[in-house]
Amino acid sequence: MNKKYLKNTLYAVLLLAAFTVVHYSCQDSKNLTTGDEAAKVYVPPGTYDDFYLFTSGGFSGQVGVYGLPSGRLFRVIPVFSQDPEKAWGYSEESKPMLMTTHGFIPWDDAHHPELSQTDGVADGRWLFINGNNTPRIARMDLSTFTTAEIIEIPNSAGNHGSPFLTENTEYVVASTRFSVPIPNKDVPIKSYKENFKGTISFVKVAKDGAMDIAFQILVPGFDYDLSHSGKGPSHDWAFFTSYNTEQANTLLEVNASQHDKDFIAAINWKKAEEYAAKGKAKTVSADYFINRYDEKKHMGVSNKKTSVKVLLPEECPGMIYYLPTPKSPHGVDVNPTGEYIVAGGKLSSTITAHSFEKMLKAIENKEFEKTIDGIPVIKYESVVAGEVQNPGLGPLHTEFDDKGYAYTSNFISSEIVKWKVGTWEVVDRIPTYYSIGHLCIPGGDTKKPWGKYVVALNKITKDRYLPTGPELTQSAQLIDISGDKMKLLLDFPTIGEPHYAQAIPADIIMKNSKKIYKIEENQHPYGIKAEKDARVVRNGNEVHVYMSTIRTHFAPDNIEGIKVGDVVYFHVTNLEQDWDIPHGFAVKGAPNSELLILPGATETLKWEPKAEGIYPFYCTDFCSALHQEMQGYLRVSPKGSNVKLSFGTGK
């Protein structure tokens, strides 16, 4: 049997054994509290949390919004998945937001929320998140906490290393996890090394937030995992981890763990911009959708693009370099000064920190060990700044506080380790329950960490909560980092699988929060400005109901003359101009969700009656003391009947 195979199998067994010891020892010592934690997380009624926390919903395809330190869930923002509570993906206005080249895809695997930045500091304008499965990037507007745009990423498979930002939100970047033939085609899987490639995409963000693909870089067929961009002196660079430099296509748990070092890809995006501007990029046919929500018209619009610009490293010297990094690196993180590039080698016994300054000198002196597809590989000893010894088992992700310390999550040993940037000395560690993945410090990946807390995002909960059958809630843990020693304050459940999270002081977002949509600015083609404009219009077998809703009735609330076989569109406008007064709308037997119509907005429900009879409709969102009275009736007559179209409120 292959010696390397035995070596890696033995290593895996040892890691599993270590995990078992630490895992169950954590169970025995799960109550490491002293009693004053409740006061530190208590937010009295009527007062606000200090921070917003945005968590990925993982396989739910959504984003969770929590308060810190309370851990209270405020909202679930629907992004890639249908949400009947808000009619996302059900209303006619929101369906275009989920269009892709694969058709209407009402689900995705959302991993990495990322707050927009100005000068390397989170500014609270937008939140971006990736769709990992059907490669997409979404942008949420944090004045409304709604999804404003979703762009598809072509020439990509497994959009995991995404959507990490350059420090003025010039670009969101995306690397492909799974390499595939580009353009995709029918080839033997065994031809991986010959035919499979990866891409790294730079998505330009306009001043109003609108996204489009500026260029892609074609890279060797490794698995590209995560990313962070530089800051300060390293502003012009973005860094991406990669594993499977062996280019294996089967049993990656062994075959992609042969090399002692894999790579961080360091990309000079300013130079890439210059090459693209000079015409070095090749125009390649590639279909993708850009879906934008028009806030004035209250509807999504899909636009299909058919080509992208692709840069080849061998034709663009100085654009990209590889930094050797042990072993199967997962996260890559840049400290607040922009000098150190820290990698979490999940199979490494140390944490590696590279020096940006040393990297530039090595490039200048051509201290390369080899070249791969036109990409120089810098010598490890020429770029490494230091190694953190004994950091725990399975280091994954690192974030930074405002005092010069770094905090790294360890999946296998289920702990967070705190170490000093520059001396690489471990100064503290705390257990988590269990199997931590990402971690989050408010502002911890920016030039200005706010510190105070670290949030552990855990994959397994075991005995931490009341049991709920075979599947338990996943969780976050709030840990105080204001003192020399970390201290656990709170556990709280999370939606979906919490891969990553970002936090920001509440007052940055609160001051820009929208309360209503002004009715006079409503440009929806089927919207109305007043109840007197309510009406029903037939066009062949299409019937359009221009409906208003206000406390506490619909207009019209009686409709006759609808026939079996008609396609009925209820265009419901909420005439309220008062904060936090949405109305709902549902009709009996509709195969989609209710509508939730916010003050001043218009939403549309499509309904095709299949049988004659009387169908009630009603408000689904409690709005007043007479909420139960907000109802109406719709009469459906046989196909071909001569019942006259009529409507009204009985006035």
Side-chain angles (χ1 to χ4, degrees), residues 2-9 11-12 15 243-262 327-329 346-348:
N2 187 299
K3 288 184 178 179
K4 284 188 176 180
Y5 181 92
L6 286 172
K7 174 184 174 184
N8 283 284
T9 302
Y11 185 71
L15 287 179
Y243 63 97
N244 191 23
T245 54
E246 298 85 352
Q247 295 185 281
N249 62 275
T250 185
L251 280 178
L252 265 64
E253 64 189 69
V254 172
N255 294 324
S257 303
Q258 302 294 316
H259 294 164
D260 289 333
K261 294 182 179 69
D262 294 282
K327 175 176 184 178
S328 294
K346 58 184 182 285
L347 299 180
S348 177

Side-chain angles (χ1 to χ4, degrees), residues 326-610:
K327 175 176 184 178
S328 294
H330 185 58
V332 57
D333 303 279
V334 181
N335 82 311
T337 70
E339 167 58 17
Y340 297 114
I341 304 128
V342 178
K346 58 184 182 285
L347 299 180
S348 177
S349 60
T350 62
I351 298 171
T352 301
H354 294 305
S355 163
F356 179 71
E357 184 178 352
K358 290 182 71 174
M359 185 191 83
L360 294 183
K361 289 181 180 177
I363 292 171
E364 182 181 357
N365 296 330
K366 293 184 167 50
E367 297 175 27
F368 307 138
E369 63 179 47
K370 59 182 175 181
T371 299
I372 301 174
D373 292 357
I375 302 173
V377 179
I378 300 174
K379 293 178 180 178
Y380 179 72
E381 59 273 14
S382 297
V383 70
V384 68
E387 296 176 340
V388 180
Q389 301 296 320
N390 302 314
L393 297 175
L396 295 181
H397 303 281
T398 299
E399 294 219 338
F400 306 89
D401 68 12
D402 53 345
K403 300 173 184 175
Y405 292 98
Y407 301 74
T408 299
S409 58
N410 287 279
F411 178 81
I412 295 173
S413 55
S414 294
E415 61 181 332
I416 294 174
V417 63
K418 175 182 178 181
W419 50 274
K420 182 70 173 175
V421 177
T423 67
W424 325 118
E425 172 192 9
V426 173
V427 297
D428 192 24
R429 58 204 326 143
I430 190 170
T432 58
Y433 311 93
Y434 305 90
S435 301
I436 181 175
H438 280 272
L439 76 174
C440 164
I441 293 172
D445 72 336
T446 73
K447 288 168 74 172
K448 183 186 176 182
W450 286 282
K452 195 170 184 179
Y453 304 115
V454 61
V455 179
L457 299 156
N458 301 335
K459 303 297 186 184
I460 301 168
T461 56
K462 294 293 184 185
D463 55 355
R464 299 300 291 178
Y465 302 104
L466 289 172
T468 53
E471 184 187 14
L472 302 179
T473 182
Q474 301 202 37
S475 72
Q477 290 184 300
L478 183 69
I479 296 167
D480 184 352
I481 59 171
S482 60
D484 292 336
K485 295 293 183 181
M486 293 180 281
K487 186 174 182 179
L488 175 63
L489 299 179
L490 179 70
D491 286 7
F492 57 95
T494 58
I495 64 165
E497 183 184 356
H499 289 269
Y500 185 42
Q502 292 223 304
I504 186 172
D507 57 0
I508 294 177
I509 290 179
M510 286 177 62
K511 63 186 179 184
N512 296 319
S513 188
K514 185 185 288 288
K515 293 186 176 182
I516 63 169
Y517 296 99
K518 294 180 179 179
I519 192 70
E520 64 270 19
E521 295 178 357
N522 185 329
Q523 298 174 12
H524 192 291
Y526 294 96
I528 57 179
K529 300 293 194 297
E531 187 173 315
K532 63 181 177 61
D533 300 321
R535 62 196 185 276
V536 181
V537 177
R538 174 179 288 280
N539 182 14
N541 73 328
E542 274 192 8
V543 178
H544 291 270
V545 180
Y546 297 73
M547 181 177 285
S548 69
T549 178
I550 197 165
R551 286 167 288 184
T552 43
H553 67 275
F554 295 102
D557 64 4
N558 278 209
I559 303 172
E560 299 190 15
I562 306 299
K563 304 170 188 177
V564 172
D566 283 345
V567 180
V568 183
Y569 294 91
F570 295 93
H571 309 289
V572 187
T573 299
N574 183 350
L575 298 178
E576 305 280 359
Q577 292 289 269
D578 192 4
W579 189 24
D580 196 27
I581 305 293
H583 288 293
F585 176 82
V587 61
K588 178 188 174 183
N592 47 10
S593 79
E594 52 94 49
L595 298 178
L596 186 71
I597 313 105
L598 301 180
T602 302
E603 297 281 345
T604 300
L605 185 146
K606 179 181 177 182
W607 180 56
E608 300 180 44
K610 305 298 183 185

Side-chain angles (χ1 to χ4, degrees), residues 64 76 82 120 129 186 207 251 266 273 305 364 375 418 600 625:
V76 176
Q82 288 177 304
I129 197 165
D186 176 21
K207 289 184 178 181
L251 280 178
E273 264 187 344
K305 307 292 282 280
E364 182 181 357
I375 302 173
K418 175 182 178 181

